[in-house]
Amino acid sequence: MRNPLTTTRGFLQLMSKENLSKEAFERYRTYAFEGIDHANSIITDYLNFSKPNMEEPKLLNVKEEVDGIVPWLQPFSVLSNISVEIHHMMVEPMYIMGEPKKFQQCLLNVMKNAIESMTNGGVLSVHTRLEQGQVQILIRDTGMGMSSTQVRRLGNPYFTTKESGTGLGLMVVISLVKAMNGKIYFRSKPNEGTICEMHFELALER
């Protein structure tokens, strides 16, 4: 839940900048309100986390969903000197079945973790592609990386590489990806960054 709250705080900080245009001010204010609404939605998700049922899945345009996350990352990336690069390897839309808010939360959690791993600035790159009927999302950072032992422990209760982290955010991500019949993989080496891959079955446009 810290993600949208921290994002909202970031937009409020951006609103205090000098010589900020009225258009930018209104845009940041809108994002701040959306962050509060998003936090409320996440609270509901956490309360329902132990329940196995999922809401009715919808057809999601992966490219649009990924692009829609970028504005939410702006406060994190600007304050952390991180550049964000999005690369869609397919011209045509790629669809999967899932719940929009939960899918967005998965992307936001992983991307925020990636930004937090780059303490001295860096590059966050996201690639979307289609491989053998699988829609793949690759999220790569240039951060501190992890050892093979740490990678194997990802998703375990309360395991985290962050000083003030709980590890619960990644547990939620892994659970939601599985609930969408997807798979998630991590590759990393110390001082060489980390790659997170999410694979989902391609859905046909109705």
Side-chain angles (χ1 to χ4, degrees):
M1 196 178 71
R2 286 194 182 101
N3 287 350
L5 293 179
T6 304
T7 301
T8 299
R9 188 176 190 277
F11 281 121
L12 293 175
Q13 287 179 318
L14 291 174
M15 289 169 64
S16 66
K17 281 189 172 182
E18 295 182 3
N19 302 319
L20 186 67
S21 69
K22 183 178 180 180
E23 180 182 359
F25 182 89
E26 291 298 329
R27 184 170 68 252
Y28 293 152
R29 184 169 68 172
T30 298
Y31 286 143
F33 278 120
E34 288 179 353
I36 295 172
D37 292 338
H38 198 185
N40 183 57
S41 175
I42 293 169
I43 291 172
T44 301
D45 285 343
Y46 270 94
L47 291 175
N48 295 328
F49 179 61
S50 61
K51 297 180 180 179
N53 62 299
M54 292 280 286
E55 297 176 11
E56 187 68 25
K58 300 178 180 179
L59 201 63
L60 304 179
N61 185 324
V62 170
K63 293 164 65 175
E64 290 183 354
E65 296 293 335
V66 170
D67 290 340
I69 291 295
V70 174
W72 290 97
L73 292 174
Q74 186 180 15
F76 300 129
S77 59
V78 170
L79 296 174
S80 303
N81 193 29
I82 305 295
S83 61
V84 180
E85 300 177 354
I86 306 296
H87 304 279
H88 299 301
M89 311 308 291
M90 290 284 293
V91 176
E92 298 81 7
M94 296 179 294
Y95 295 96
I96 63 174
M97 296 300 296
E99 298 176 59
K101 289 184 179 179
K102 292 183 178 180
F103 182 57
Q104 292 164 7
Q105 188 62 30
C106 288
L107 296 176
L108 189 58
N109 272 1
V110 174
M111 293 183 192
K112 182 173 176 287
N113 284 346
I115 289 175
E116 291 176 344
S117 75
M118 296 180 278
T119 54
N120 297 314
V123 179
L124 171 63
S125 60
V126 183
H127 290 74
T128 65
R129 66 188 185 190
L130 182 63
E131 294 284 344
Q132 299 180 343
Q134 295 275 320
V135 177
Q136 300 181 358
I137 304 168
L138 283 69
I139 302 171
R140 182 195 302 263
D141 66 62
T142 57
M144 64 183 71
M146 295 176 287
S147 67
S148 57
T149 300
Q150 290 174 316
V151 171
R152 286 194 297 270
R153 294 184 64 190
L154 289 176
N156 288 347
Y158 302 106
F159 173 75
T160 178
T161 58
K162 296 184 288 187
E163 291 184 3
S164 59
T166 63
L168 296 178
L170 191 54
M171 286 182 61
V172 172
V173 169
I174 293 173
S175 176
L176 292 178
V177 169
K178 289 181 178 179
M180 292 174 59
N181 296 317
K183 296 181 180 179
I184 186 168
Y185 308 92
F186 293 90
R187 289 179 281 144
S188 186
K189 290 184 179 180
N191 303 314
E192 294 186 16
T194 300
I195 300 174
C196 171
E197 291 192 28
M198 299 182 189
H199 296 186
F200 300 95
E201 291 291 333
L202 177 68
L204 298 178
E205 185 178 7
R206 296 172 182 172

